[in-house]
Amino acid sequence: MLRRQAYRFELRPSGQQLRSLRQFAGSCRFVYNLALALNTARYNKKRLGYAGRCAQLLNWKRERQFLSEVPARALQQALKNPERAYTNFFLKRSEFPKFKKKGQRESVRIPQGRQRYRTGLESASLVDPVERRIPRAVPAAQEVLA
């Protein structure tokens, strides 16, 4: 039987890393709110799906320079969130989607692990080596699967 074990880590980012993470969270919140406002305005008409919003994301990135500094996959995940919120609402699993506010559960999801993004002329990782506190020893992968 396969046993799934979760581990919790506490990250301690430096000042620049913290600013980058907050910028990513703010940009994702901005894109989420734009997509939610667009679908709310079109509530009685046909809603704009994920593919249509992805096409508009390119225009939003051209109009607003700060969106170009964030990994594209994080913004695409932020576009999927309103779609999931609407689906849950129509299936009566949750309330009508609400706009996100600064400082309330700020988060960024980037699929497929560690991603790279471009900052100016240099390439950097979203999660450069960050100091972390590990509360207990994490077994090696071979020990977990054995």
Side-chain angles (χ1 to χ4, degrees):
M1 180 197 282
L2 182 62
R3 178 180 165 207
R4 296 180 185 256
Q5 177 70 42
Y7 293 96
R8 185 173 289 209
F9 300 99
E10 178 184 343
L11 298 179
R12 296 179 179 163
S14 67
Q16 179 59 36
Q17 292 167 336
L18 188 59
R19 282 188 290 276
S20 293
L21 290 173
R22 285 185 176 156
Q23 178 188 12
F24 295 161
S27 297
C28 290
R29 180 180 63 246
F30 183 79
V31 168
Y32 174 88
N33 287 339
L34 274 178
L36 187 61
L38 186 66
N39 272 349
T40 303
R42 299 173 57 102
Y43 185 72
N44 292 330
K45 303 174 189 173
K46 185 176 179 184
R47 285 187 305 129
L48 194 60
Y50 172 71
R53 286 193 311 268
C54 277
Q56 287 190 335
L57 180 61
L58 295 173
N59 294 333
W60 294 343
K61 287 176 88 171
R62 285 187 201 111
E63 294 170 2
R64 298 163 180 94
Q65 181 62 32
F66 67 93
L67 292 178
S68 300
E69 299 168 1
V70 179
R73 292 181 185 219
L75 297 178
Q76 290 168 354
Q77 283 294 322
L79 286 178
K80 286 183 180 181
N81 291 342
E83 187 72 23
R84 174 59 59 112
Y86 266 102
T87 302
N88 288 338
F89 169 69
F90 289 125
L91 293 176
K92 300 194 185 320
R93 290 189 286 207
S94 67
E95 296 178 2
F96 192 77
K98 297 178 182 173
F99 291 98
K100 294 187 179 219
K101 297 177 184 174
K102 183 177 181 179
Q104 294 180 354
R105 295 188 61 196
E106 293 182 348
S107 64
V108 176
R109 283 188 306 150
I110 300 180
Q112 299 176 356
R114 188 176 171 142
Q115 299 294 322
R116 303 201 54 93
Y117 66 95
R118 295 197 49 86
T119 56
L121 300 175
E122 59 196 43
S123 178
S125 172
L126 172 63
V127 193
D128 285 330
V130 176
E131 180 186 348
R132 60 190 176 272
R133 185 179 70 80
I134 303 173
R136 60 182 169 182
V138 178
Q142 293 81 15
E143 296 175 22
V144 173
L145 295 177

